Structures are given as C-alpha cells and as structure tokens.
Amino acid sequence: MPKKVRLPIALVLALVLALGIAGAPGAAKMAFETTGPHVDEIIMPIIKDSEARRIAFERGESVVWAGLTQPEDIDRAKSMPNAEMTMTLGFHMFYLCFNMREEPLANQPIRQAIAHCTDRDNIIRTLFKGYMLPMTSFVPQVSPFYKADVPVYAYSHGKAAEVLDKAGYKRGSDGIRIDPKTGKPLREMKIFTPTYEVAPTSAELGKMIADSCQKVGLPVVPEPMDFPVMLDKIDIHEFDMYVLAWGLSRNPTHLYSFFHSSMDVEAGYNNPGMRNAEYDKQSERLYYAADLKEAKEAADACQLILAREMPYVPLYSRPYIDAFRDDLVTGYVPMMGFGAASYNNQWTTMNIRRVDRRGKAIEGGTIRWALQEEPKNLNPCVASSAYEQEVLSRLNDSLMAMHPETLDDMPWMARKWDVGVWEPEPGKKGTTVTWYIQKGIKWSDGMPFTAEDVEFTINYLKKNDVPRYLDATQDIVKVELIDRYTVKVYFDNISYWHVYNAGLAFLPKHIWKDVEDWKGFEPWKEAHPKIKGYSKLVGTGPFILKDYVPGEYVRLVKNPNYWRLNK
Amino acid sequence: MGFRSYVIRRLVYAVIVLYVILTLNFILFRVMPGDPTKMIIDPNFTPEAKAELRRQFGLDEPPWKQYLNYMKNLLKFDLGYSFSTRRHVWNELKERLPNTIKLFLATFVLTSTVGMSLGVKAAATPGSFRDRVVIPAGLFSHAVPTFFVQLLMLLLFGYYWPIMPIHGTMSAPPPVGAWPQFVDKLWHLVLPVTSNMIVGFGSWALYARNTMIEALGQDYIITARAKGMSERDVLYKHALRSVLPPIVTLLFMSLPGMVSGAVITESIFSWHGVGRYLLDATLQMDYPAAQGAFYLIALAVVICNLLADVVYGLVDPRIRVGAGGVK
C-alpha cells in the first residue's frame, strides 16, 4: 500500500552531485543585477540542425548550448574545458495517463498495481543516464505548490500482486489475471506512445512499463503510433493508457484544467476522465482562490486526492541544463524552473557580459547566441512559439518580474499592485487588480509607457478575441484608467490568479491604434513613422530589433531608452 | 497533328493533372489524422480558445465550402495565411524560393555535368581503370544516404577542420559591400552543393554510361568508325546525340524531385528554403502552408513534364512533329 516518502530533496541533491553542474538548487545565493544589459549587441544565428548547433558552440559561434536533454550532449558539454554548465529543476512533467472511463482501468486497484509496476529509477537510469528527476506528485518539485509528502506507490511487483489479489484479480491458468466481475481474463490494455523514430525514449519507456506489468499478470502491451493519430485518439478518449509530457508553469492551475470534471469534454484536458466530486470542490477552491493561503491549501488537497485516485502515474521531471562558454561570457543566471538560457529568464539577458582573455568581465561588445528555429512571426498578437518568444522577450518587459531563486513576484514596470473585490452584479463578487506603473519608462522609440498602453492593450486583445490571450482576457469585464500611471482591471469572478493575467506583451498605443488587421500586421517589416532606421516593432525591453534576415539571423542592439539601463 | 495542336493538347492535359493534384492536395490534408489546433499543447490554451482558433482558420466550415474557398483562392494565386505564423503563405514562399532555386541550380548543374561526363568517359573505355573507378563510385553515390554524407561533411569541415560555414546562406551579419557579400554567399554554397553532388552524380554517371555503352554497340557507330571518324566525334556527335532524348527527359523529370529533395539539405545546413518549409508545415499540420508548398511543387512537376514532352520532340529526330504527326 502507499507509503509516505520524502524523495525529492535527497534526489535533487543526488542529481546535482552526479551532474557536477553549477547553479543547482542549494548552491550559493544567486548574484544578479536588476539593471542592464551589459552587452551592446546580441547576434542570434538561426541554426536548426542540432549537430550544427553543437559545433557552433564548440567553435565559439554561440556562447550558449541551450536546453540539453540528450545524455550524450550533456556528457559532451561536461567534457569541454571551456564550458560551464547550469542546471535548475524545471516545470515539466512526464506521465502515464489512464483512461478511467472504461473497465478495467476504471478500477483503482488496477491503476495502483500498474503504478507499483512502474520503475521510475530504472527508466531514468537506463534511458536518461540519470539526467531526470523522478516525479511522484502532480506538481513539479520546483513549484512553490509542490507537496512532498503525498503517498507514493513504490516500485514492487510483490505489492502490485498483493493489491490485485486483495481486489479479487486472481491469476488464471495462463497467468493472466481474471476479472472478478466477469470471471473472464482481463482484456489487453494498450499503452500508446509516439513511435521509436519520433520519440525513442517514450516508446521504450512504454515497453518497459508494459513488460513490468506482464510479470504480475496484467495484459499490458505497448503500441507506438504516429503522434497526430495518438493525439486524435486521446482527444476522443479512445485509449487505455498513453505517455506524454506537459510543460507547466509556476502556478498550479493545471490541477484544475487536467482533472476537473468540467474539463472532461472533447478538446478539454481532463483526458483521464476523472470525475470526483471531492476533487472538483478542491480544484475549484484552487482555481478561484481568493488569496495565496487558500490556493496553497487547495493545491495540497488536490495533490493528496490525485495520489490516491491515480489518474496519472507521474514519471519524471526534466531539469533545465544549459552550457555556456565561460571563456567568452559570464553573468548568466540560472533561474529556478526555467534554466539559465530560457526566454522566460530575463535575468540572464540583463546580466550576461563578455569576458576578456583573463576571464575578467567587460562591458559592451557583441555576443552570439544561437537560435534553434526561425522566429517566424514577430507580431506580439500572433507569436506563440518559444522561438518567437526568444526574440520578443528581449524586446519587452512585463509589469511584474519573478525572482530567479525564490520565484517570488517582484515589482517591475508596475511599482506595486492592489488586489480587491467588487460586485459585477448584485450578489456576485469579482476581483479587481490595480496597477501602479513606474514613471519614466519609455518605449524604445522614446514615447512614454503609461497606463493608457495597458488599457489599450487589454481592450484591443478583448475586442479582437485574440486566441493567444483569450485565457488572460476572457474574465475581464472592463478596464478603468485612474490616472496616467494607474489602471484598474475588473474581473467578473474571484481568483487569486487574475493578477497573473497581466503577463501580456503590451502594445504601444501610438503604433497599434491604427492597426485593423491584427493578424496580418508585420510590425518588424514596417518602417517607424517618425524615427529613421527603426521599425514599428517597439518595446519596453532591454533590446531593440536591428535586423531580422529570415532563415539567417536576428540582430538585437541595446535599447538606449531602456528604463533599467546600466548607467 | 501540328506542333501547335500537340502543345495545346499537352497544355490541356497539364491543366487537368494540376486540377487533380490540387484536389488531392486538399483532400489529403483533411483525411490526415490530427487537427492543427492540437499542435498547441498548452494547459492554458482552453477549449474556447481552440474553438476560436478553428473559426479563424476557417476549419469550422463544412468541407465542401472549405474546398470551394480553397479553389477560388488558388485561381487568384491567393495561398492564404499560414496557421502557425499567420503570415501570407506566398510572402513566406517568396522569401524562401530564391534560396531553394540557388541551391537547386548549383546542385543540378554540378551534379549532372560531373555525372554525365564521368559516365560518358567510362563508357568510352569499358573495363578500363577509369570505368572500374566510376562504377563503384557511382554505386556508392547512388546508395549512400544524403543525411549521412552531409552530417559527415559538417563534422569534417565544421568541427575537425573548421574552415567552412556550417549553416545558412550568409554570414551573420554579412560583410559590407556587394562583392564580399557575393563571395560570402558562394562560400556558404560549397558544403551543401558538394554534398549533394557526392550523393547525386552516381545515378547520372551510371545512367549515362549504360545508355552510351548500348549506343556504342549499334551498327551506325561501327559505320561511323569504318568511315574513319575520330573517336571523339563518334562519342559526342553520334553516340551521345542518340542517347540525348532519354537523358533530356531525365533532366527535366529530376528538376521537381530536386526541389522536394531539398528538405534534408535545407534542414542539415539550416537553409531557409521551400523544402524545409514544406517539412515544418506538414509536421505542424499547417494546411495552407503545406498546400502552398505542394502547389508550387505540383506546378513545377507539370511544367517540367510539359517541357520534357516538347523538348523530347525537338531533340529526337525519330519523333516527327508536323507532317508526320507525333509518334
């Protein structure tokens, strides 16, 4: 039966020691400055082939080799004398999902037995040479909402057999377990995985779990298939089990999206088909929490129920491992949950600087940072991929920032914010968030950034139903401009998370007010109406887009109007 | 039937073929498993946002209406907006076409010239040392996978002996001045084109060798030699001319294949071209983008077939166009 264990801290430390990587949890306090940037220019060559990216890093044509996941790449980077590696835990979860709608997986003992048959340690050791973190809860370890003491179904064929025997699933003459309800052998249960060609580790992992289940008489088989076919089958709930990964965020609202019964619809994310009244109540408490305390309590309760119900078997979480050329640069900041080279990490962009031959940090100059894909569309309303954010995140700032070590909110373009309550209609409560914008912030073309830009952006995104920001804007009822630097946003329900809905790419009103075709607008290609040599891609961030030659490179230069400029 | 009627008939066939291809192009992507909105796997992307995206993509319309819109737009050469980038597909293709054409032309000229020259030379002296080198080299070239040679060259000239650029069509940023930029672009062509030549010359060499050997055994070659013609004239004026029709056909037929075959080269050398665009669009279920790229390739196939038909008639004296009709 489940027992309470405290795996993570020991495992994290073990992983860090095994890797011998800097910037890991538990390392000395991170040094970072909130002013910058310290380089004049970033040239980002677009190198799509992974082998070519590795060679570019080794040749010094890129100061970073970002997002290492393959053990051989990690080993290679570790062996380079002029490479320093950083590692942080990530908001990532790889899992085995059950379809709880159908027999026999609707039965908890079967799911529990499969969980007992899943040898996470062996999977991580065999397939990933230890470069993954075993995951036992439904929130990644790095999250402030992670609950360490949830019951864990430890790997044990003996315990799996015990659970099955106790529930009446006896072995038949051929070794297959008999369903006590029908008296017949259990039907074959399939684990869908992507094909070996597309995702060899996922495919092999499915086979390992299936082989292990067969040892206790569970007729589980792996079925690798084309990825779009697999997604289709998952969407219409035609599956027994599948393995897949999620990239998550700091806030645990996925616990609502993934397991609340209202999300058990086609194209919804409750793929296991979990329908549990107690869970619904707790996940609603989480999703509509009035404050952080309530959110934390509800997240804990959700994780406990999930550990019991086992709609997923969480398998592992992938840490962010990045390699930097320490003979060329210094100042990169490993950020918990996002790594040192992720576009979510504004601190590396602000703090990275070149070093001279003696390894001393120097101001200014150019660094080269390889992009692995084309940033195809730099229109902030349309850009959705990580590759576009690699560029846009360096051109824009947000209202609040995230501390790289604690992940706490930090005032940024907003010097403070208030969260309050209002009545959208009699008897109903809604949330208000009032933002107090810092004075003196300028767009890169020199125009002031004010509360009017915030108001304009929200109204513009709402008016056009921009899909990318629908989740952030759909609960907003109205925006009120209090003064030039204060804006109040009204939401039609109570939720602590609304404060994070301001994570928008703000649109400069003076540019966008005349844009009617928000989808077709290509601001980086249109000349700025007033400033020669500038485009209409105007931001408040540390850099300006100087050139973008499709397929070749992106060139960013320091924004002379940046409000956090290192003077 | 006159040459004009022949060309018109071929043109009508070409239009019908194009129509069928375009229809299949539409159907294939719709029957393929998957849904473009499912390519966005983000817990914050709600079912409502997905529905809105489907509406904006026009995927909420019935298939017949989607088909009518698709054909109507194609007639206007409007390839629509890419699902993944929301940019005009034609604008995206226009950005990439010059790179693909550059890569393709350089590869085509080098591969066919080297391959055919080697094949003809080998055929002139069958069994000689030259022939014994060309055959296994041709077989190796024909059999070795493109990606293997390209990765090997990347490793050799990018890493162990780092003298060549390993990605893109130009330096980032490019040098100043027209002439340095021209040289820079040529320099970036060397690895991709050479690797393509290594894997491509073999089939040309073997084909040219075999057809030439067959031609060199014909009676009219013996007659030509008996008349005292030089071996060079026998080889190039008689034998080569007689094998030109199938080679010309092969030349034209290989053109579209090289465009679609650019996928691997463009991926490995991070070349911003149509091949890589097609691959990305297909993987991301970006219907308009993939349809646009296929449309271009289909157009290239049909035009090349048409040209092959016309040129075949011109280069082969046995085919009479005009008074005797087309055989």
Side-chain angles (χ1 to χ4, degrees):
Chain A
M1 290 313 293
K3 63 174 184 180
K4 290 187 176 182
V5 293
R6 286 178 182 274
L7 283 175
I9 292 171
L11 282 168
V12 172
L13 289 174
L15 184 74
V16 171
L17 288 172
L19 285 167
I21 286 173
K29 278 226 172 277
M30 283 168 199
F32 71 99
E33 293 173 12
T34 58
T35 55
H38 295 274
V39 293
D40 296 330
E41 185 182 52
I42 305 178
I43 290 174
M44 309 175 101
I46 300 160
I47 310 178
K48 295 178 183 176
D49 182 68
S50 57
E51 199 60 23
R53 265 197 311 282
R54 177 180 73 77
I55 293 171
F57 177 71
E58 297 191 355
R59 279 170 38 157
E61 290 174 9
S62 174
V63 297
V64 66
W65 190 8
L68 302 178
T69 55
Q70 299 300 316
E72 55 272 26
D73 288 344
I74 298 168
D75 290 344
R76 175 83 199 169
K78 273 169 71 181
S79 71
M80 285 179 63
N82 49 8
E84 186 184 21
M85 300 188 68
T86 62
M87 192 281 282
T88 63
L89 304 184
F91 289 114
H92 172 271
M93 169 167 68
F94 197 94
Y95 62 95
L96 170 75
C97 175
F98 298 114
N99 187 349
M100 297 164 69
R101 300 172 190 85
E102 307 225 1
E103 296 285 342
L105 288 161
N107 298 309
Q108 200 185 33
I110 298 279
R111 300 197 299 273
Q112 287 175 353
I114 293 174
H116 275 305
C117 289
T118 304
D119 187 357
R120 293 180 183 85
D121 290 346
N122 187 34
I123 287 169
I124 291 169
R125 205 171 41 242
T126 314
L127 301 180
F128 303 104
K129 287 174 85 174
Y131 294 127
M132 296 289 163
L133 197 68
M135 199 171 169
T136 48
S137 185
F138 291 74
V139 172
Q141 287 90 332
V142 67
S143 168
F145 295 88
Y146 167 68
K147 185 167 174 57
D149 55 352
V150 296
V152 174
Y153 296 90
Y155 170 63
S156 163
H157 284 135
K159 285 190 177 158
E162 193 184 310
V163 169
L164 292 168
D165 289 339
K166 201 172 164 187
Y169 293 93
K170 304 290 180 198
R171 274 183 186 263
S173 55
D174 56 357
I176 305 286
R177 298 270 168 182
I178 306 291
D179 188 337
K181 288 179 198 159
T182 61
K184 292 179 181 168
L186 287 171
R187 69 171 176 85
E188 191 174 80
M189 292 170 276
K190 291 174 178 166
I191 302 178
F192 290 168
T193 70
T195 56
Y196 274 90
E197 291 75 21
V198 172
T201 48
S202 301
E204 185 57 29
L205 181 152
K207 186 177 178 301
M208 287 169 80
I209 296 174
D211 289 349
S212 180
C213 289
Q214 286 167 14
K215 288 182 181 156
V216 295
L218 289 174
V220 177
V221 292
E223 187 164 316
M225 63 174 64
D226 184 46
F227 192 56
V229 178
M230 181 172 145
L231 291 184
D232 269 357
K233 286 183 179 281
I234 293 169
D235 229 25
I236 54 173
H237 308 145
E238 271 185 16
F239 67 94
D240 294 323
M241 288 169 268
Y242 67 86
V243 290
L244 215 56
W246 281 112
L248 303 169
S249 62
R250 178 184 60 169
N251 301 331
T253 45
H254 69 273
L255 293 174
Y256 178 88
S257 318
F258 293 174
F259 306 112
H260 191 273
S261 56
S262 68
M263 293 291 163
D264 182 15
V265 291
E266 194 172 318
Y269 285 125
N270 183 354
N271 292 323
M274 173 135 160
R275 287 177 174 272
N276 180 306
E278 185 194 356
Y279 186 83
D280 282 356
K281 200 175 144 196
Q282 292 300 339
S283 60
E284 281 163 23
R285 263 186 78 208
L286 168 67
Y287 202 68
Y288 298 106
D291 52 41
L292 184 61
K293 185 170 169 280
E294 188 183 3
K296 183 82 179 79
E297 283 171 9
D300 284 354
C302 285
Q303 287 173 80
L304 281 171
I305 299 170
L306 291 171
R308 187 185 71 219
E309 292 297 317
M310 275 282 135
Y312 287 178
V313 180
L315 295 173
Y316 63 82
S317 180
R318 192 178 70 212
Y320 275 92
I321 301 176
D322 305 300
F324 288 86
R325 283 287 297 260
D326 61 359
D327 58 336
L328 299 175
V329 287
T330 185
Y332 30 88
V333 182
M335 183 171 181
M336 295 299 285
F338 299 104
S342 156
Y343 68 84
N344 299 95
N345 182 345
Q346 70 187 96
W347 307 113
T348 292
T349 305
M350 298 277 281
N351 285 272
I352 196 164
R353 57 201 86 189
R354 294 186 310 137
V355 294
D356 62 17
R357 284 183 184 174
R358 287 165 299 166
K360 195 172 163 235
I362 46 175
E363 282 291 315
T366 300
I367 60 165
R368 300 175 73 89
W369 182 295
L371 290 178
Q372 61 172 320
E373 255 302 339
E374 190 75 39
K376 291 171 186 161
N377 193 327
L378 295 174
N379 173 344
C381 287
V382 176
S384 56
S385 77
Y387 313 117
E388 282 135 11
Q389 296 309 323
E390 284 280 357
V391 176
L392 289 174
S393 66
R394 291 173 169 94
L395 310 183
N396 292 297
D397 261 358
S398 51
L399 292 180
M400 55 165 79
M402 216 188 287
H403 191 281
E405 194 171 10
T406 62
L407 298 181
D408 287 341
D409 297 329
M410 290 168 65
W412 199 243
M413 290 206 300
R415 62 188 164 82
K416 64 169 187 165
W417 54 91
D418 292 334
V419 179
V421 178
W422 73 300
E423 275 197 2
E425 54 194 70
K428 190 181 174 189
K429 282 185 177 174
T431 305
T432 61
V433 182
T434 309
W435 297 100
Y436 301 88
I437 312 290
Q438 303 263 17
K439 288 178 185 167
I441 300 176
K442 286 180 181 171
W443 292 100
S444 49
D445 60 1
M447 294 290 283
F449 171 80
T450 67
E452 279 183 38
D453 292 301
V454 178
E455 180 203 29
F456 170 79
T457 301
I458 295 172
N459 287 334
Y460 191 90
L461 297 176
K462 259 192 95 64
K463 187 181 86 183
N464 292 295
D465 285 333
V466 176
R468 176 165 150 59
Y469 294 107
L470 208 58
D471 184 54
T473 57
Q474 64 189 358
D475 292 331
I476 296 176
V477 178
K478 59 177 179 174
V479 189
E480 186 187 351
L481 200 64
I482 308 287
D483 60 41
R484 192 167 158 75
Y485 293 100
T486 314
V487 62
K488 193 170 185 179
V489 187
Y490 292 80
F491 295 85
D492 77 344
N493 50 34
I494 292 283
S495 175
Y496 167 72
W497 311 109
H498 283 326
V499 75
Y500 299 107
N501 286 335
L504 309 166
F506 291 109
L507 308 173
K509 186 180 175 185
H510 60 285
I511 299 283
W512 278 78
K513 65 180 173 15
D514 302 321
V515 176
E516 287 182 6
D517 178 14
W518 64 269
K519 284 177 261 183
F521 183 42
E522 297 183 339
W524 72 101
K525 287 187 159 185
E526 293 192 20
H528 191 280
K530 289 182 183 160
I531 304 174
K532 204 178 167 193
Y534 273 42
S535 73
K536 286 186 178 174
L537 187 60
V538 169
T540 52
F543 288 93
I544 299 174
L545 180 78
K546 176 78 175 164
D547 292 314
Y548 168 32
V549 181
E552 306 297 338
Y553 67 93
V554 173
R555 188 178 189 178
L556 308 178
V557 294
K558 191 195 271 190
N559 174 5
N561 290 311
Y562 187 46
W563 68 290
R564 302 293 303 167
L565 213 51
N566 185 43
K567 286 172 183 164
Chain B
M1 188 195 295
F3 183 70
R4 210 166 126 190
S5 321
Y6 166 72
V7 172
I8 288 172
R9 206 171 69 169
R10 293 285 156 190
L11 263 174
V12 172
Y13 285 161
V15 171
I16 294 170
V17 168
L18 196 61
Y19 171 74
V20 172
I21 291 173
L22 293 179
T23 302
L24 287 174
N25 199 5
F26 175 85
I27 295 170
L28 268 178
F29 282 101
R30 265 71 185 176
V31 297
M32 239 166 69
D35 173 344
T37 59
K38 278 184 209 140
M39 293 293 113
I40 304 168
I41 305 174
D42 179 342
N44 295 320
F45 203 65
T46 59
E48 292 78 23
K50 276 189 184 176
E52 176 59 26
L53 204 59
R54 283 184 68 79
R55 192 188 65 72
Q56 292 185 5
F57 286 174
L59 295 171
D60 58 339
E61 304 271 17
W64 64 268
K65 206 165 175 186
Q66 288 183 43
Y67 177 71
L68 281 183
N69 288 338
Y70 162 78
M71 291 308 270
K72 207 163 63 185
N73 291 336
L74 279 186
L75 283 176
K76 294 184 281 180
F77 209 73
D78 177 1
L79 303 177
Y81 281 98
S82 152
F83 287 169
S84 64
T85 67
R86 305 304 295 155
R87 295 183 62 210
H88 270 296
V89 171
W90 178 235
N91 285 348
E92 297 202 311
L93 286 170
K94 261 194 314 192
E95 268 173 20
R96 292 157 184 265
L97 258 177
N99 285 337
T100 300
I101 290 172
K102 206 166 29 177
L103 177 67
F104 148 76
L105 275 182
T107 300
F108 180 70
V109 170
L110 197 69
T111 307
S112 55
T113 312
V114 170
M116 281 174 56
S117 311
L118 288 175
V120 170
K121 297 262 185 209
T125 51
S128 66
F129 174 72
R130 187 192 289 158
D131 191 31
R132 277 183 283 138
V133 170
V134 168
I135 292 175
L139 285 172
F140 170 80
S141 156
H142 188 60
V144 69
T146 309
F147 74 89
F148 175 76
V149 171
Q150 294 184 332
L151 284 176
L152 203 66
M153 292 189 75
L154 205 64
L155 212 59
L156 284 177
F157 300 106
Y159 180 65
Y160 289 112
W161 194 27
I163 54 165
M164 303 296 292
I166 52 173
H167 60 88
T169 63
M170 60 170 77
S171 299
V176 181
W179 177 247
Q181 280 183 16
F182 176 73
V183 174
D184 183 54
K185 287 187 175 181
L186 271 186
W187 190 231
H188 280 76
L189 262 176
V190 173
L191 268 192
V193 171
T194 311
S195 58
N196 276 343
M197 195 270 287
I198 290 173
V199 296
F201 86 91
S203 43
W204 286 104
L206 295 175
Y207 189 75
R209 178 193 174 274
N210 294 344
T211 47
M212 281 293 283
I213 282 180
E214 199 184 326
L216 288 167
Q218 299 294 318
D219 290 347
Y220 64 89
I221 297 291
I222 298 168
T223 310
R225 283 187 175 132
K227 279 161 61 183
M229 286 185 84
S230 71
E231 198 53 34
R232 186 183 168 78
D233 282 353
V234 169
L235 204 60
Y236 291 105
K237 288 190 177 164
H238 286 259
L240 186 59
R241 186 165 166 75
S242 73
V243 299
L244 264 186
I247 287 178
V248 167
T249 312
L250 196 67
L251 273 172
F252 280 103
M253 300 302 281
S254 67
L255 293 179
M258 290 182 87
V259 177
S260 50
V263 173
I264 296 170
T265 309
E266 289 179 356
S267 298
I268 289 179
F269 293 104
S270 304
W271 201 271
H272 191 59
V274 177
R276 173 75 195 210
Y277 184 72
L278 176 64
L279 178 72
D280 289 344
T282 309
L283 291 176
Q284 290 164 13
M285 314 215 62
D286 189 345
Y287 299 163
Q291 282 167 182
F294 273 123
Y295 179 43
L296 270 192
I297 291 172
L299 212 57
V301 172
V302 169
I303 291 171
C304 288
N305 281 351
L306 195 65
L307 286 175
D309 280 345
V310 174
V311 176
Y312 198 86
L314 292 175
V315 296
D316 190 346
R318 290 167 297 182
I319 293 176
R320 303 280 177 231
V321 177
V326 179
K327 287 176 188 172

